[in-house]
Amino acid sequence: MIGKQIKGTGFRGCLNYVLGKKDATLIGGTMCGQTPEELAAEFGIARQLRPNLKVAVFHATLSVDSTEKLEDSEENDQRWLAIAANYMKAMEFDNNQYAVVKHSDTEHDHIHIVASRICLDGGVVDDSWDYYKSQEVIRQLERNYNLETVTPSWETDKRAQTTGEHRQLKSKGNKSVRVQLQDLIDEVTQDNPSMPEFVEQLQQQGVEVQVTQTGIGLSKGISYNLDGVALSGTHLGKAYTFSGLQKHRGVSYDKGRDNALIEALMQPQNLAIAPSEAEENELESSQSELVATLSATAHELESSQSELETTTPATPATANELELQLSILPERNENQWTRVRSHLAVEYSLPLELLEKLHSHSWLYADRSEKAVFTARTLDGEARFAFVLDERGNFTTTHPLSSEAAFWVATTGEIERAVIACNPIEALSILLIEQENNQDNSATLPPTIYLGIERASQLPTQFLQELDSVIIAIAEDYMLARNARELLPNAELVNPQSSWNDIWIQLIEQEQQNIQQNNQPYKQRIQEIELD
């Protein structure tokens, strides 16, 4: 059995949440009320015994394994009520008001217990060490009711408490903001909400949530702010990132369905502001305003990039700013493109259709010296500098304006995986190799972004930390690979014996031999690359 505890300041908001869920049923407790309004009024009577106690709400959830749900609903309810009564007595809530609500909308049968820390004799239940006390009580309940011990996923994929946090909890009974946020998110995700529901429920509990995205399916992440302390999902643990919420917490997300709703929740006028305690004692304290912006659509990003040298900037720019913008990318010369394209196709075996697609979006072009220019962009599509390839195969870079810009291409879908190479040719070669192997083996690769970098500081570190899989596939540059690994310690290192482009050329030569011998058709390789 899994148990979690959260303390709060207002009963009404908590009751609205637990009783407002689909299939929620009030099955018992020590109170007479049947609705959130009636129960909140009852809690308010006892609260008058301790009017200066701010944190009066104790909210616990108890969940059993999906195989342990009883068929007979009445018998199941009685078992839960007995478990709740024993749990509350062991937690020293045997002289307190509490209500028990059962949720049946997930495969794991579970109950919510909303209780007052204020005893009916005016005392207050001590909440120091309640987490550890609860774990001991749950282990005993498992033995008493012959329940299976369940290792909670939220324990294994959350960042553990630091020594300082553990010391603070032990000495003062105070949880850090990071631990509080982990607990709140664990609670809100108990019933597998959609992403907008998840954001809204956290807002109702005073947590500011910011979701930032690009228009090309690259989720840049999610961050939280509680009591003025802002933390990214990565700081809380893998399960609290934008992708981790979906994979490890059961939060559903559909870009077409949810993006507009999430954006609406980010607007200040749509944030619910709770009344003060003086106005309504049982409600949650007012939450802070949060403004978050979603990035432009992929089409707008790509159009603005392709028109970089021919259109006026969206915001007024000084002469110096315009000069700097032009200096970061070499001047293009369309008259030289055919020669550059042929050189790339012959020397590096890059497919002509791939080269043309990159060229059509200004991600690759020719300069006046017949050199190939690969643009390095942020995840939002803004060009920051360029990789310039000379006829001898050497790359140089123009002056980068900032870090976190690289040459990159991505396959369709919301990105789950990244592969890092040491230049654009290597990045494109890995993409082609993987697509070749994918066609041959009928395997399904997750949506992937392929990046070519010159320095590790160019990596979008926070975004990469939130992905399920990051592969550092930097051939023949040990220092660059080591520096990238220092920024991404959980990444997988792959070190081939030769360059990725050499491996790609060998695959192409073998395929050409097969085509000549067996009359095999030509393979289309770039249909899954997301440029439009």
Side-chain angles (χ1 to χ4, degrees):
M1 185 165 65
I2 298 174
K4 293 179 283 187
Q5 313 82 44
I6 297 174
K7 269 83 72 178
T9 59
F11 289 100
R12 180 66 176 277
C14 183
L15 290 164
N16 282 342
Y17 166 68
V18 299
L19 286 170
K21 296 294 291 184
K22 182 182 179 181
D23 296 329
T25 306
L26 178 65
I27 62 174
T30 62
M31 306 177 71
C32 299
Q34 298 295 310
T35 66
E37 295 80 6
E38 293 171 350
L39 291 168
E42 282 189 65
F43 279 122
I45 295 172
R47 195 165 194 173
Q48 294 175 12
L49 298 172
R50 286 294 185 113
N52 295 324
L53 180 66
K54 184 173 179 61
V55 182
V57 182
F58 177 82
H59 179 191
T61 61
L62 301 176
S63 174
V64 296
D65 186 77
S66 59
T67 61
E68 296 179 309
K69 183 174 181 178
L70 300 181
E71 293 297 330
D72 183 89
S73 59
E74 183 176 350
E75 183 181 353
N76 193 29
D77 290 353
Q78 292 303 314
R79 181 185 69 161
W80 271 124
L81 285 175
I83 290 174
N86 290 334
Y87 177 82
M88 295 301 284
K89 183 177 181 179
M91 294 294 290
E92 301 180 13
F93 282 83
D94 50 341
N95 190 27
N96 298 68
Q97 298 169 307
Y98 69 86
V100 183
V101 179
K102 186 180 73 171
H103 285 184
S104 304
D105 56 340
T106 70
E107 64 176 6
H108 292 275
D109 206 14
H110 64 281
I111 59 171
H112 294 254
I113 305 173
V114 181
S116 174
R117 292 182 58 222
I118 302 170
C119 304
L120 296 179
D121 60 6
V124 178
V125 176
D126 184 9
D127 62 352
S128 301
W129 293 87
D130 63 342
Y131 170 80
Y132 301 99
K133 184 191 300 182
S134 177
Q135 293 305 303
E136 293 177 359
V137 172
I138 287 172
R139 299 289 86 82
Q140 185 61 50
L141 289 173
E142 288 170 345
R143 290 188 289 269
N144 293 346
Y145 289 89
N146 195 28
L147 297 172
E148 182 179 349
T149 299
V150 181
T151 302
S153 63
W154 49 269
E155 285 290 359
T156 58
D157 52 27
K158 68 161 50 173
R159 287 203 172 185
Q161 292 187 46
T162 64
T163 302
E165 288 172 332
H166 183 74
R167 187 181 299 117
Q168 179 184 5
L169 179 63
K170 182 177 180 180
S171 61
K172 300 180 180 179
N174 297 329
K175 293 182 179 180
S176 68
V177 170
R178 186 166 69 88
V179 175
Q180 291 179 57
L181 282 169
Q182 289 173 332
D183 289 347
L184 285 170
I185 294 169
D186 291 342
E187 167 61 23
V188 167
T189 56
Q190 179 73 37
D191 298 323
N192 300 340
S194 66
M195 192 63 73
E197 290 173 338
F198 168 76
V199 172
E200 185 175 18
Q201 288 169 20
L202 283 181
Q203 288 177 340
Q204 290 173 356
Q205 301 202 47
V207 180
E208 298 178 357
V209 185
Q210 184 173 6
V211 178
T212 55
Q213 297 173 314
T214 69
I216 52 177
L218 301 176
S219 170
K220 293 173 68 175
I222 188 167
S223 61
Y224 314 92
N225 189 313
L226 178 64
D227 296 334
V229 179
L231 295 170
S232 70
T234 304
H235 289 132
L236 302 183
K238 183 177 180 180
Y240 305 89
T241 65
F242 192 84
S243 59
L245 288 168
Q246 300 167 61
K247 295 176 177 60
H248 305 290
R249 287 293 183 274
V251 178
S252 64
Y253 171 68
D254 180 89
K255 182 166 59 175
R257 178 195 67 189
D258 294 339
N259 278 0
L261 294 173
I262 293 172
E263 185 174 7
L265 288 169
M266 297 297 101
Q267 302 306 314
Q269 65 269 24
N270 291 325
L271 294 178
I273 302 204
S276 66
E277 187 170 342
E279 294 172 332
E280 191 170 353
N281 211 16
E282 63 274 7
L283 291 181
E284 300 289 347
S285 58
S286 171
Q287 65 181 24
S288 303
E289 291 188 349
L290 172 65
V291 180
T293 6
L294 294 179
S295 305
T297 63
H299 178 73
E300 292 168 338
L301 289 174
E302 292 164 357
S303 297
S304 63
Q305 182 179 340
S306 64
E307 297 169 2
L308 177 63
E309 298 181 6
T310 59
T311 60
T312 303
T315 56
T318 65
N320 289 337
E321 288 172 339
L322 290 174
E323 182 179 354
L324 182 60
Q325 187 180 50
L326 292 174
S327 70
I328 67 175
L329 297 178
E331 185 177 354
R332 60 191 299 155
N333 188 332
E334 289 303 313
N335 293 329
Q336 304 296 342
W337 167 242
T338 301
R339 294 183 181 180
V340 168
R341 182 190 63 185
S342 298
H343 176 73
L344 293 172
V346 172
E347 293 296 324
Y348 303 98
S349 294
L350 298 179
L352 290 175
E353 63 269 28
L354 172 59
L355 298 174
E356 285 295 345
K357 195 165 189 179
L358 293 170
H359 179 252
S360 69
H361 289 80
S362 296
W363 296 1
L364 168 63
Y365 62 89
D367 68 4
R368 289 186 173 183
S369 303
E370 297 185 22
K371 296 177 182 178
V373 178
F374 297 82
T375 58
R377 296 159 291 117
T378 66
L379 293 181
D380 291 325
E382 180 183 355
R384 291 298 180 89
F385 65 96
F387 290 85
V388 181
L389 178 67
D390 63 24
E391 63 280 357
R392 296 186 300 274
N394 298 319
F395 273 104
T396 57
T397 56
T398 59
H399 304 292
L401 292 180
S402 71
S403 60
E404 298 196 356
F407 174 83
W408 60 264
V409 292
T411 54
T412 54
E414 186 174 342
I415 301 304
E416 301 176 10
R417 175 175 176 266
V419 180
I420 302 167
C422 61
N423 60 55
I425 295 291
E426 290 285 273
L428 293 173
S429 297
I430 297 173
L431 180 149
L432 291 165
I433 291 168
E434 292 201 326
Q435 289 203 341
E436 179 79 9
N437 292 334
N438 187 43
Q439 288 186 3
D440 290 343
N441 300 328
S442 299
T444 301
L445 284 173
T448 301
I449 183 172
Y450 300 84
L451 303 102
I453 61 170
E454 180 194 36
R455 300 189 305 276
S457 61
Q458 295 164 352
L459 291 169
T461 308
Q462 181 176 338
F463 166 74
L464 294 174
Q465 288 173 339
E466 297 185 2
L467 298 181
D468 283 348
S469 173
V470 176
I471 299 172
I472 299 174
I474 296 176
E476 302 173 341
D477 194 332
Y478 168 76
M479 289 299 296
L480 180 58
R482 189 187 69 175
N483 293 338
R485 183 65 180 275
E486 288 179 355
L487 294 176
L488 302 165
N490 295 325
E492 176 186 355
L493 281 176
V494 176
N495 185 23
Q497 298 299 314
S498 61
S499 75
W500 292 105
N501 187 248
D502 287 342
I503 296 173
W504 167 243
I505 291 173
Q506 292 173 10
L507 284 176
I508 285 297
E509 290 175 348
Q510 182 62 46
E511 180 184 310
Q512 289 174 345
Q513 292 177 7
N514 292 336
I515 290 174
Q516 293 174 356
Q517 294 174 3
N518 304 319
N519 196 28
Q520 294 179 351
Y522 176 77
K523 295 180 179 179
Q524 176 74 18
R525 294 186 177 85
I526 68 166
Q527 66 272 23
E528 298 298 326
I529 299 177
E530 183 160 310
L531 299 182
D532 294 320

